[in-house]
Amino acid sequence: MRTFFARYKLFGIVLLCLSIVIIYLFYNALQPVKLLPVYSPAMVNAELVAEEIQHVRKYHTIADFSLTNQNGETITQDNYKDKIYVADFFFTTCPTICPIMTKNMVDLQKALGEHNDVMLLSHSVTPEIDSVAQLKKYALEKGVNDSNWNLVTGDKKQIYELARKSYLAVKTDGDGGPFDMIHTENFILVDKDKRIRGFYDGTKKEDVDKILADIEILKNSYDETND
């Protein structure tokens, strides 16, 4: 009997290892694929959605835009074509939440590294103050890498309409006029099809970690589609 076990000991070990691998593969195959929701206006707090689009339940996408970045370049939706990106709204003279948000966005950029398919987009909500020169100064001070992060200024009404009707990031009161002011801590995750896939508190480090995890889920969903 001892001779029998000695003879088949190696075979038994190999068989055991193979069984473990097969069980592990089956377990992974049976796990549901993680997917992120696709947000529509009807899924978001009505206070954040313009009345005329509150009924929209699907096919909501970010509207086309044309703004100017910290290098004086025109930035449009084409610069973000086939890109995953994170958007926010800030102003360079903000003394409260914006410095925290910018620091967290810098940390996000560092964590993403040289991912060519993930970009960042920060809109100034005081474009009359945040000129190209002011944005460039701010970008240099904060460590913005302009290869994949645009700080943009431009027409105030266009920026405010994007915030309210595209990104669903702020309350709907206001018309983008001279006395209109928006202030939001939201980071918004947008997919390659210009759809909103997540909202996060840009002042919280744990939400930055959540964005990174969700970006990986989103990237994997595109990889599986292409396989």
Side-chain angles (χ1 to χ4, degrees), residues 17-50:
C17 292
L18 186 60
S19 299
I20 292 171
V21 170
I22 290 172
I23 291 170
Y24 174 78
L25 292 175
F26 267 108
Y27 175 79
N28 280 347
L30 292 173
Q31 293 301 302
V33 177
K34 290 184 178 179
L35 295 174
L36 300 180
V38 177
Y39 285 91
S40 64
M43 296 169 63
V44 179
N45 183 340
E47 288 187 345
L48 300 175
V49 182

Side-chain angles (χ1 to χ4, degrees), residues 3 7 12 23 26 38 49 51 55 66 91 95-96 98 101 108 117 139 145 163 191 199 210 215 222 224 227:
T3 304
R7 182 179 301 172
I23 291 170
F26 267 108
V38 177
V49 182
E51 186 175 355
H55 66 284
S66 181
F91 56 107
T96 54
C98 296
M101 292 169 62
L108 179 60
D117 56 345
N145 180 349
D191 68 16
F199 296 93
K210 180 70 165 57
I215 286 173
Y222 283 107
E224 289 169 5
D227 286 344

Side-chain angles (χ1 to χ4, degrees), residues 1-220:
M1 183 67 70
R2 187 176 298 172
T3 304
F4 175 83
F5 281 114
R7 182 179 301 172
Y8 290 100
K9 180 179 179 181
L10 180 59
F11 175 76
I13 292 172
V14 172
L15 186 61
L16 177 63
C17 292
L18 186 60
S19 299
I20 292 171
V21 170
I22 290 172
I23 291 170
Y24 174 78
L25 292 175
F26 267 108
Y27 175 79
N28 280 347
L30 292 173
Q31 293 301 302
V33 177
K34 290 184 178 179
L35 295 174
L36 300 180
V38 177
Y39 285 91
S40 64
M43 296 169 63
V44 179
N45 183 340
E47 288 187 345
L48 300 175
V49 182
E51 186 175 355
E52 62 268 30
I53 61 171
Q54 287 176 1
H55 66 284
V56 175
R57 297 186 176 277
K58 55 184 178 179
Y59 306 127
H60 178 76
T61 57
I62 306 303
D64 292 351
F65 57 89
S66 181
L67 299 164
T68 306
N69 76 356
Q70 67 268 32
N71 297 318
E73 301 165 337
T74 299
I75 300 298
T76 73
Q77 66 283 348
D78 290 338
N79 294 92
Y80 288 81
K81 185 177 180 180
D82 296 325
K83 305 288 185 183
I84 295 167
Y85 71 95
V86 178
D88 75 337
F89 295 83
F90 81 112
F91 56 107
T92 61
T93 56
C94 167
T96 54
I97 64 173
C98 296
I100 302 170
M101 292 169 62
T102 300
K103 180 186 180 302
N104 284 337
M105 195 71 95
V106 169
D107 290 343
L108 179 60
Q109 184 176 55
K110 289 177 180 176
L112 289 170
E114 298 300 321
H115 283 298
N116 294 325
D117 56 345
V118 183
M119 297 181 67
L120 309 175
L121 178 60
S122 295
H123 308 74
S124 169
V125 299
T126 57
E128 67 280 4
I129 296 172
D130 290 332
S131 63
V132 169
Q134 176 70 3
L135 288 181
K136 186 64 176 181
K137 179 175 179 289
Y138 188 83
L140 292 172
E141 288 174 351
K142 302 300 182 182
V144 172
N145 180 349
D146 57 14
S147 66
N148 64 348
W149 184 0
N150 292 297
L151 312 181
V152 292
T153 187
D155 178 69
K156 184 177 180 179
K157 287 194 173 184
Q158 179 187 180
I159 292 171
Y160 277 45
E161 186 158 311
L162 283 168
R164 289 178 168 134
K165 295 185 179 180
S166 282
Y167 292 102
L168 315 178
V170 293
K171 290 190 176 183
T172 58
D173 296 340
D175 60 359
F179 303 107
D180 191 2
M181 178 66 183
I182 60 176
H183 211 196
T184 175
E185 72 280 3
N186 276 321
F187 283 2
I188 305 99
L189 178 61
V190 181
D191 68 16
K192 295 181 181 182
D193 301 298
K194 303 197 297 183
R195 302 174 302 180
I196 297 173
R197 306 304 294 270
F199 296 93
Y200 313 84
D201 186 333
T203 66
K204 295 180 178 178
K205 178 65 170 65
E206 58 268 30
D207 274 32
V208 174
D209 295 336
K210 180 70 165 57
I211 293 174
L212 287 168
D214 285 353
I215 286 173
E216 287 305 311
I217 292 171
L218 199 48
K219 287 173 63 180
N220 289 337

